[in-house]
Amino acid sequence: MNHFKELHDELLCYLDPEHVDLCRQAYELAEQGHSGQMRRSGEPYITHPVAAALNLAQMRLDYQTIMATLLHDVIEDTSVSHEAVVQAFGEEVAALVDGVTKLTKIKFESRAEAQAENFRKMILAMVKDIRVILVKLADRLHNMQTLGAMPATKRHRIAIETLEIYAPIANRLGMHAMYTGLEDLGFKALYPMRYRALKSAVEKARGNRRELTQRIEQDLQQALDTLSIPYESVFGRQKHLYSLYRKMRQKKVAFSEIIDVFAFRVITEDIDGCYRVLGALHRTYKPVPQRFKDYIGIPKVNGYQSLHTTLFGPFGVPLEVQIRTRAMDSVADNGVAAHWIYKSSGADVNEAQLRAREWVQRLLDMQRNTGDSLEFIENVKIDLFPDEVYVFTPKGHIMELPKGATPVDFAYTVHSDVGNSCVAAKVNRRLVPLSIPLTNGQAVEIITGPEAHPNPSWLNFVVTGKARSNIRNFLKSQQRAESVSMGKRLLEQAFSELSSDYNKVPDESMEALLRDLQVKNLDDLLYAVGIGNQMPMVIAKRLVLTQDGDAFEASSDGGPLAIKGTEGMVIHFAECCQPIPGDNIVGRFQQGCGILVHSSDCLVVNQGRTSPEQFISMRWDEQVQGEFWVDITVEVANQRGVLAMLATAISEAESNIGNISVDPRDGTHNAVTFSVSVLSRTHLARVMRRLRANNRVTRIYRNKQGA
């Protein structure tokens, strides 16, 4: 019981005795479960959950959260079962414990996949109860405090994970104290030498500036006393080490240029006092233009509220001052946890709690639209931006977006359906490109269309995880639909070549094949055929044999597969031979990608004729759509202005230039290779005739690397 004494004393400060006793019972079960287990540091394992629980007790978390923190490793690391926790302490505590328990019984292909899947599980638990993440953060904080006993490689991995995921989550939930603690500990583990050097420099600078800091504090206090403005305290605040390091890296400046900024905080009695203090400070020291932020009127996305101003202090030194109430200060430090701090007193401090739930709900929506856990965790990392941009909806509501967000991000933040049907955007009543970054104070209106759908190019500029996951989800569903359709076309053609009919295959024959191939349904089979994972001729032969029961011979009655050139993600055109409409073509199945179209005379095709089942006869549809890129080389005399003349000739032939490369030959002639867009073989011939009409052109030919 010695390990529980400090925690017990802390709990008695704010919990009822019966709740403290329940925490003691949870401790006893954890102590029993972890009996004989030791940490790498040599301490009994029970010291870890007790220390994590103490962190949360100092934040005044409720008794159920404290119990779950004490028990958070028992299901994963001991013989204590989930059912035993339910029986002893109820479903609520057991659900919190289960939310932070890793998936140890499932085999993963890699550590990254295991990490991502465990994180995904925790997010789903967070949706039901936000306290899950508070337990996890307390667990991670103590692990970081005792990281020194770990091997160097593990320290490095855990530190990166903390800086990339857990510290930003704490920041996103408004838990500043937890956030700065995790960042500084991660910094210390990842860059120990830099940490020590920066810490030493900060302590030295603080000693040298003590007199000036005291004078500024006195000036600020005097200004407030003179105007009889009530306040609780004025004090200098310290920036944590990792934020200083990050600033030095981002701005590429020396420590002396960063540390020159003096930071102070003023705590007032109420909101009215905050604005009165601001006026008094601006009368004492001149404010720096455009360096004032009102986070009381417009709170940050994590619930943070404060007034920020920058002043010209004595001797011209810049002063950063934060002005807030005691309640705001507590929310700034504890964020979502402040809800429980003020719960007993009846104070309505739940802004961070509400915003946290909104954020967690957005994570849930993101998770639903993301099939892969690794992709999900990357989207979450993208979503953990510290800087916000505040814009207005047409009805005047404020929307918080990460810095760099575009109208498309705004559309998806409003609703997934709005993002999916977005066609244009107005910013301050003017049409703007969908890729333009938004800035503070803009009014944004999204124009939608019933037939509109996400554009793949949006992935190049969206910054929110929700937008990215929704766009990718749409593209995946589109690819599947295209692949299923292509798979059916390929099977129908294969049946035709075997003088049979795909539509007359008995249901029992198809079901038997699906069972044999271990495929859930017909669409999954067609999808596998469409992306090249199953050969259509092989599937057709098996079904025909099952259907007829006799041997057969392939027929030549079935015509080649017609393509229009716009089959999207299922049909790809080979770079080696660059086929264009009018060329004789053949298709080659590319596993996982669909069909790769080659020219019939391509060397790649001819080398692979030993596996005929991988190839499919193809022809161009009469109504071919789209433009096709092809390389042509023009040998031309090396004279001034000749390149411009060639480009003009290509333009006059109604073709675009994608790329140009010049190869000097003998000093008097150059070989110029153009990548040009054409509609067909006929169009290419027209482009080449235009070029050949120039008397400086000595030779012209089409490049076909595989031919």
Side-chain angles (χ1 to χ4, degrees):
M1 289 294 291
N2 291 335
H3 300 302
F4 187 65
K5 186 177 184 311
E6 187 180 358
L7 175 60
H8 177 268
D9 294 341
E10 189 70 37
L11 294 175
L12 282 175
C13 295
Y14 72 98
L15 290 181
D16 297 331
E18 61 268 27
H19 291 159
V20 176
D21 189 58
L22 284 171
C23 292
R24 179 189 57 78
Q25 293 176 36
Y27 165 79
E28 289 173 351
L29 179 60
E31 186 182 41
Q32 183 183 346
H34 292 297
S35 179
Q37 295 180 357
M38 308 295 285
R39 306 201 81 207
R40 284 184 177 270
S41 60
E43 297 173 305
Y45 193 90
I46 189 64
T47 58
H48 164 62
V50 170
L54 183 61
N55 282 328
L56 295 183
Q58 290 166 347
M59 297 169 66
R60 300 299 187 256
L61 266 292
D62 63 296
Y63 74 97
Q64 291 170 317
T65 308
I66 303 299
M67 292 167 68
T69 308
L70 289 166
L71 298 165
H72 77 269
D73 279 334
V74 296
I75 297 176
E76 183 182 337
D77 295 335
T78 75
S79 58
V80 179
S81 65
H82 177 84
E83 291 72 23
V85 177
V86 172
Q87 190 174 354
F89 305 111
E91 286 283 358
E92 193 168 351
V93 172
L96 289 172
V97 175
D98 187 62
V100 293
T101 300
K102 293 178 182 174
L103 301 167
T104 55
K105 296 180 181 179
I106 301 174
K107 298 280 186 181
F108 296 103
E109 292 184 4
S110 65
R111 183 187 294 276
E113 186 185 348
Q115 179 204 45
E117 198 56 48
N118 283 315
F119 183 75
R120 180 182 226 164
K121 175 179 177 286
M122 185 181 69
I123 293 295
L124 293 175
M126 280 170 59
V127 175
K128 297 176 183 175
D129 197 328
I130 194 70
R131 292 174 294 178
V132 167
I133 192 60
L134 303 185
V135 176
K136 184 62 184 178
L137 289 173
D139 167 57
R140 176 54 61 109
L141 181 63
H142 185 252
N143 280 332
M144 292 301 297
Q145 289 167 343
T146 56
L147 200 60
M150 292 288 181
T153 54
K154 197 167 184 178
R155 284 203 309 270
H156 190 269
R157 176 177 61 79
I158 293 173
I160 290 175
E161 185 180 281
T162 300
L163 290 172
E164 287 186 353
I165 297 175
Y166 292 104
I169 286 177
N171 184 40
R172 192 63 176 71
L173 297 175
M175 303 172 69
H176 184 74
M178 183 76 74
Y179 162 62
T180 56
L182 288 171
E183 280 208 329
D184 280 354
L185 290 167
F187 177 37
K188 183 180 181 181
L190 199 59
Y191 305 112
M193 297 290 289
R194 300 178 193 182
Y195 175 86
R196 285 196 295 269
L198 189 58
K199 186 180 180 182
S200 174
V202 167
E203 290 172 351
K204 186 178 178 181
R206 193 177 296 134
N208 295 337
R209 304 189 315 166
R210 189 171 289 118
E211 290 184 7
L212 184 56
T213 302
Q214 289 174 351
R215 175 182 167 179
I216 295 170
E217 281 186 18
Q218 291 169 1
D219 286 352
L220 297 179
Q221 289 171 349
Q222 187 179 352
L224 300 177
D225 293 338
T226 302
L227 296 171
S228 301
I229 298 173
Y231 67 95
E232 289 189 19
S233 59
V234 177
F235 56 92
R237 59 186 179 87
Q238 300 175 13
K239 293 191 174 183
H240 66 294
L241 295 180
Y242 191 67
S243 73
L244 292 173
Y245 174 72
R246 189 165 49 225
K247 258 185 194 179
M248 290 167 64
R249 291 286 301 269
Q250 289 173 351
K251 296 183 178 182
K252 298 181 179 179
V253 296
F255 171 75
S256 58
E257 296 178 63
I258 295 292
I259 205 66
D260 278 347
V261 178
F262 288 70
F264 292 85
R265 184 173 296 154
V266 181
I267 305 298
T268 67
E269 293 181 351
D270 51 30
I271 293 177
D272 181 62
C274 292
Y275 290 100
R276 291 179 66 193
V277 167
L278 177 70
L281 296 187
H282 283 186
R283 289 178 64 179
T284 306
Y285 296 126
K286 296 294 183 185
V288 178
Q290 300 180 345
R291 292 295 301 273
F292 167 69
K293 292 180 180 178
D294 186 351
Y295 293 122
I296 294 179
I298 305 177
K300 283 190 175 186
V301 69
N302 58 15
Y304 174 89
Q305 289 185 289
S306 187
L307 297 178
H308 290 194
T309 186
T310 302
L311 311 169
F312 289 108
F315 309 110
V317 298
L319 308 181
E320 289 182 356
V321 185
Q322 297 174 348
I323 309 165
R324 63 178 69 147
T325 65
R326 175 60 58 192
M328 291 175 188
D329 193 53
S330 182
V331 172
D333 276 345
N334 300 303
V336 66
H339 171 72
W340 287 277
I341 296 172
Y342 286 87
K343 203 173 182 180
S344 58
S345 65
D348 187 19
V349 185
N350 57 7
E351 181 74 18
Q353 175 83 355
L354 294 173
R355 290 174 178 268
R357 290 198 176 279
E358 290 173 3
W359 176 65
V360 172
Q361 190 59 47
R362 288 202 296 273
L363 290 185
L364 181 62
D365 295 339
M366 195 188 303
Q367 189 274 146
R368 287 170 179 161
N369 291 323
T370 308
D372 181 54
S373 52
L374 289 169
E375 184 183 322
F376 172 62
I377 199 171
E378 284 304 313
N379 287 338
V380 172
K381 287 180 183 179
I382 291 169
D383 207 47
L384 293 171
F385 274 83
D387 299 322
E388 297 86 29
V389 172
Y390 297 91
V391 295
F392 295 90
T393 68
K395 293 183 178 179
H397 298 302
I398 298 172
M399 299 283 287
E400 301 98 349
L401 295 167
K403 192 175 181 181
T406 64
V408 176
D409 293 294
F410 174 88
Y412 278 106
T413 303
V414 173
H415 198 278
S416 298
D417 292 340
V418 176
N420 288 335
S421 56
C422 171
V423 294
K426 288 183 178 180
V427 172
N428 296 337
R429 300 183 179 180
R430 292 185 177 182
L431 283 170
V432 297
L434 290 175
S435 59
I436 191 169
L438 300 173
T439 58
N440 280 317
Q442 292 180 326
V444 186
E445 180 185 353
I446 300 299
I447 302 168
T448 60
E451 302 298 323
H453 53 76
N455 191 319
S457 65
W458 292 356
L459 289 171
N460 296 326
F461 56 77
V462 294
V463 299
T464 58
K466 184 177 181 181
R468 190 170 294 275
S469 63
N470 271 278
I471 296 166
R472 283 178 173 167
N473 183 55
F474 172 81
L475 294 176
K476 285 178 182 176
S477 63
Q478 186 185 48
Q479 181 189 26
R480 180 173 176 84
E482 289 179 358
S483 300
V484 169
S485 176
M486 178 57 68
K488 187 178 180 182
R489 289 174 63 191
L490 292 170
L491 271 185
E492 288 174 344
Q493 188 201 30
F495 269 83
S496 177
E497 291 181 12
L498 298 173
S499 301
S500 189
D501 189 348
Y502 166 76
N503 296 312
K504 294 181 179 179
V505 175
D507 292 341
E508 56 271 19
S509 299
M510 185 62 75
E511 289 171 4
L513 178 65
L514 295 177
R515 284 195 303 271
D516 190 37
L517 296 175
Q518 298 182 341
V519 178
K520 292 181 181 178
N521 51 50
L522 178 58
D523 275 1
D524 284 354
L525 176 62
L526 295 176
Y527 174 76
V529 172
I531 64 173
N533 288 347
Q534 293 285 352
M535 298 297 117
M537 185 55 71
V538 174
I539 299 295
K541 286 179 179 179
R542 291 185 64 172
L543 288 170
V544 170
L545 279 170
T546 306
Q547 184 178 348
D548 299 339
D550 299 319
F552 56 83
E553 291 184 2
S555 168
S556 60
D557 294 341
L561 182 72
I563 62 168
K564 294 183 178 182
T566 56
E567 280 77 2
M569 304 174 187
V570 185
I571 298 287
H572 306 272
F573 296 93
E575 291 290 330
C576 52
C577 52
Q578 297 180 314
I580 59 177
D583 291 339
N584 293 324
I585 53 175
V586 64
R588 185 177 188 180
F589 290 101
Q590 190 94 349
Q591 192 169 7
C593 300
I595 300 172
L596 197 61
V597 181
H598 292 264
S599 296
S600 299
D601 58 353
C602 180
L603 290 176
V604 175
V605 171
N606 293 325
Q607 289 169 359
R609 292 293 190 183
T610 53
S611 306
E613 71 279 356
Q614 293 186 355
F615 293 88
I616 178 173
S617 178
M618 305 185 83
R619 65 174 177 83
W620 295 102
D621 192 272
E622 293 180 1
Q623 302 295 323
V624 179
Q625 302 171 10
E627 292 184 337
F628 301 81
W629 291 96
V630 62
D631 291 344
I632 58 174
T633 296
V634 184
E635 294 184 2
V636 64
N638 185 10
Q639 296 178 16
R640 182 179 297 176
V642 68
L643 192 60
M645 294 174 66
L646 296 177
T648 302
I650 292 171
S651 176
E652 289 174 348
E654 299 179 345
S655 178
N656 293 318
I657 300 172
N659 189 42
I660 302 175
S661 63
V662 180
D663 178 24
R665 291 292 169 89
D666 54 6
T668 59
H669 287 80
N670 293 330
V672 186
T673 300
F674 294 94
S675 182
V676 297
S677 64
V678 296
L679 302 175
S680 65
R681 193 179 176 105
T682 305
H683 186 196
L684 175 62
R686 188 164 70 249
V687 173
M688 295 176 76
R689 278 198 304 271
R690 283 273 187 177
L691 291 168
R692 197 175 282 112
N694 191 315
N695 57 13
R696 295 169 181 158
V697 174
T698 57
R699 188 184 175 210
I700 183 170
Y701 54 90
R702 176 181 172 185
N703 293 7
K704 294 178 73 174
Q705 298 173 14

